[in-house]
Amino acid sequence: MTEKRKTMKRNEKGMSFALIFAGLLFFCNPTFSAIDVLPDFIGCVLLFLGLFRLSRVYQPFADVGKRFLKLAGVDVVKDLLLLFVFADGTSAEKPTAILTVAFGMSVLELYFLLPAVSALFDEMTMLAMRQNCTPLYCSGFRGKSRGELLRTVTVAFLLFRDIVCLLPEFASLTLSSYTDSGTTNLYDYIGVMRMLATVLVGIVGVVWLVFLCRYFLCLHRQKEFRCSLYTKYETYMECHPGVRVLTRHAVAFLCLAIGAILTADFYLDFKNIIPDGVAALFFLAGVLLLPGRRKQKGIAALGAVLYGGVATWSSRLAYHFATEFRPSDIGRSDAADAAYRALWLSSLLEFVLFLSFVAALMLCLRWTVAEYAGYRPEHESEFETRKLNDLRNEMDGTFIRVMVFALLSGLCSFLYDYIKEIPSAGFFRIMEFFWFFDLLMSVVFGIVLTVTLYAVYAQIGNKYQFDGITPAASPNTISVPENQKGDRKEHAESQSESKSE
């Protein structure tokens, strides 16, 4: 009864567009010194998640979601490049490097962003026309619909934002070479110019935000339109029960893969620019999203939390030792010995907790393989049972291989902190470059775990390959007559009968 009541309440509320609105909000802020306070890639991910659900009833949204996913990748690359540039605090060419990266990546972002935004509002208008939602597609200002007007305003704002925010960088670098005896370098006043550009873009951003809110408020008032979409979405999900399973595992595996890649330690000025605590947060999210036994998930989640906390503590101790002492001070100074001992113990504890977490994660994945992976026929045979057991044994070997690479990665990270007094002669001078082995094994571990997660996901897809799962519903799905929108049971029965024929 409670599930029916929840379904009825959701049907009354209708399809939600909150994720799409929240994703667009991340584009309203200006950049200051090429730094995006509200990162665009987060907005792209939110838009992808919101469009992914809508694509189940209207296929073109799947292509729009892929556009924003590509844009998210470009924005991540831009932020990483800017991070490298800002970390190089001693470079005399730092302003030029900032401008080069910001200008080049802004042009590349606009190349992906403008078509994605245009396609989003065009498909929203087309969806309203297919559903006969007059307020969303009827002509308004100068013969344009609400969606067309918002598309034009959004494209104009995005162009204005990127151009104006880059003007201070261009002006200061162009005029900084012109110096007289009584003049000062214009780059000394770059902060004022950046502030003026930020204020100007902020004012225009508020105007754009008004247009955006008016559009989504109008969309929110179209209750019949949203309820019709949600009814079709529920019909699709009832006919394709494996979609929820695949979606949940896909998001969980994506979080785990990102966490594995972020475990790579890349140091600039003795600081790890990708803190292990961030990787632990992704590990925690992935474990919590995985379906499984509460005890196993609890142990893995606790391991992720402890690993993140100890890794953050160990990084601080390593930075303190590297900035306050030299390796030659070990054995000559009590303060250096105490700092090195604390560093060694924290690094050893981080190594143990990392291995413990990976072991707990492999047990969770082993349960996932046993419950969800592999094709399951309706009438089991001895051949199919033997084939399923072979799959489980093969995946057990894969999980053991992941543990081996986790051991090597954790051991290299521990030894990099442990080996501080480098021998001054002979072959052992190679230990000066041990940071390379630490970075290399971390990257290899991330790749191995990512490949393993993809293999498990492919086997989960094999179980539901005859479940009628499609990447997205066809465009004809949206054209179900209005008088049949509540008759989900008959629609599901007709689907099953046609499938059996």
Side-chain angles (χ1 to χ4, degrees):
M1 290 297 291
T2 55
E3 293 181 359
K4 291 183 178 180
R5 290 177 181 176
K6 289 181 179 179
T7 304
M8 291 177 62
K9 289 181 180 180
R10 289 174 182 172
N11 287 335
E12 292 176 358
K13 292 181 179 179
M15 183 70 75
S16 174
F17 290 83
L19 284 177
I20 298 177
F21 177 71
L24 290 172
L25 289 180
F26 279 83
F27 295 97
C28 72
N29 67 297
T31 58
F32 186 83
S33 183
I35 299 176
D36 194 4
V37 180
L38 297 177
D40 290 346
F41 73 88
I42 298 180
C44 293
V45 172
L46 293 177
L47 283 166
F48 173 78
L49 295 176
L51 293 171
F52 181 79
R53 193 179 188 187
L54 279 173
S55 66
R56 299 303 178 185
V57 293
Y58 188 56
Q59 190 273 338
F61 279 129
D63 297 330
V64 179
K66 291 178 182 178
R67 289 174 181 265
F68 281 105
L69 201 60
K70 293 177 182 178
L71 176 62
V74 173
D75 190 66
V76 168
V77 173
K78 171 190 172 182
D79 292 340
L80 289 177
L81 289 176
L82 288 173
L83 186 62
F84 284 121
V85 173
F86 280 111
D88 189 9
T90 59
S91 176
E93 300 179 353
K94 182 177 178 180
T96 306
I98 293 175
L99 173 61
T100 304
V101 174
F103 176 75
M105 296 307 297
S106 294
V107 173
L108 187 61
E109 271 192 309
L110 288 175
Y111 176 78
F112 287 93
L113 177 58
L114 297 184
V117 170
S118 300
L120 171 63
F121 292 113
D122 287 343
E123 296 302 337
M124 291 288 289
T125 303
M126 186 60 66
L127 176 62
M129 294 176 65
R130 285 177 175 268
Q131 289 292 92
N132 197 24
C133 185
T134 307
L136 292 180
Y137 73 85
C138 64
S139 298
F141 181 74
R142 293 186 177 181
K144 292 185 177 181
S145 65
R146 291 179 180 270
E148 293 173 339
L149 180 61
L150 183 58
R151 179 196 61 189
T152 304
V153 174
T154 302
V155 170
F157 166 71
L158 293 174
L159 287 171
F160 180 82
R161 181 194 68 171
D162 287 352
I163 292 174
V164 173
C165 288
L166 286 175
L167 280 179
E169 313 295 335
F170 276 114
S172 61
L173 290 175
T174 302
L175 301 178
S176 60
S177 59
Y178 176 75
T179 56
D180 284 335
S181 57
T183 60
T184 57
N185 192 349
L186 186 60
Y187 199 79
D188 296 335
Y189 302 94
I190 186 72
V192 177
M193 293 188 291
R194 287 169 177 169
M195 184 62 67
L196 291 176
T198 300
V199 172
L200 186 59
V201 175
I203 294 173
V204 180
V206 171
V207 176
W208 172 74
L209 194 60
V210 172
F211 281 89
L212 185 68
C213 292
R214 288 184 61 185
Y215 178 83
F216 278 92
L217 283 175
C218 179
L219 177 60
H220 182 72
R221 295 191 191 102
Q222 311 309 314
K223 188 174 181 181
E224 184 179 354
F225 169 69
R226 294 188 297 107
C227 290
S228 176
L229 290 178
Y230 191 81
T231 301
K232 292 175 174 62
Y233 173 76
E234 283 294 313
T235 302
Y236 178 87
M237 297 304 289
E238 287 179 4
C239 297
H240 304 77
V243 171
R244 299 184 189 275
V245 176
L246 285 175
T247 303
R248 183 173 181 179
H249 281 93
V251 177
F253 289 168
L254 179 62
C255 291
L256 292 173
I258 294 175
I261 294 173
L262 292 181
T263 55
D265 296 333
F266 192 90
Y267 290 92
L268 287 176
D269 295 332
F270 306 108
K271 285 185 178 181
N272 185 10
I273 62 173
I274 306 177
D276 291 334
V278 178
L281 290 178
F282 279 98
F283 279 142
L284 179 62
V287 170
L288 294 179
L289 287 172
L290 275 177
R293 298 173 181 173
R294 291 185 178 181
K295 186 175 181 180
Q296 284 184 342
K297 290 176 58 177
I299 295 174
L302 180 61
V305 172
L306 293 177
Y307 163 69
V310 173
T312 303
W313 175 49
S314 178
S315 298
R316 292 181 178 179
L317 292 178
Y319 178 75
H320 171 71
F321 181 86
T323 54
E324 297 293 332
F325 306 99
R326 293 178 298 178
S328 57
D329 293 334
I330 300 175
R332 299 178 181 178
S333 170
D334 293 338
D337 291 343
Y340 176 66
R341 191 180 305 109
L343 168 64
W344 182 82
L345 291 175
S346 64
S347 182
L348 177 62
L349 183 58
E350 178 186 353
F351 173 49
V352 173
L353 289 175
F354 175 71
L355 288 183
S356 301
F357 165 72
V358 175
L361 177 62
M362 293 302 104
L363 291 177
C364 291
L365 293 178
R366 190 173 185 271
W367 185 90
T368 300
V369 171
E371 294 294 326
Y372 293 100
Y375 170 65
R376 313 290 173 86
E378 295 182 1
H379 305 286
E380 294 186 2
S381 62
E382 182 179 355
F383 171 76
E384 294 293 344
T385 302
R386 185 170 62 252
K387 187 176 179 181
L388 185 60
N389 290 332
D390 292 341
L391 170 64
R392 292 174 179 174
N393 293 332
E394 180 183 353
M395 294 308 300
D396 285 344
T398 303
F399 296 150
I400 293 175
R401 182 170 69 247
V402 174
M403 282 299 305
V404 172
F405 280 100
L407 175 64
L408 295 176
S409 175
L411 185 61
C412 288
S413 180
F414 167 69
L415 290 178
Y416 177 67
D417 291 332
Y418 178 72
I419 301 173
K420 294 299 180 183
E421 190 172 358
I422 304 172
S424 58
F427 174 78
F428 293 101
R429 285 189 60 88
I430 196 175
M431 293 182 181
E432 293 183 26
F433 307 98
F434 203 83
W435 62 268
F436 173 76
F437 298 101
D438 178 21
L439 178 62
L440 177 63
M441 291 311 303
S442 298
V443 173
V444 171
F445 166 73
I447 294 174
V448 170
L449 182 56
T450 301
V451 172
T452 301
L453 293 173
Y454 180 79
V456 174
Y457 183 77
Q459 293 300 332
I460 295 175
N462 289 338
K463 180 179 179 180
Y464 297 97
Q465 61 181 333
F466 299 110
D467 187 43
I469 296 177
T470 56
S474 63
N476 296 329
T477 309
I478 203 67
S479 60
V480 178
E482 290 295 322
N483 57 4
Q484 295 181 6
K485 66 179 182 179
D487 196 2
R488 295 181 295 166
K489 183 176 180 181
E490 292 182 4
H491 183 67
E493 290 177 356
S494 64
Q495 290 277 348
S496 61
E497 289 176 2
S498 62
K499 194 185 298 182
S500 63
E501 291 176 358

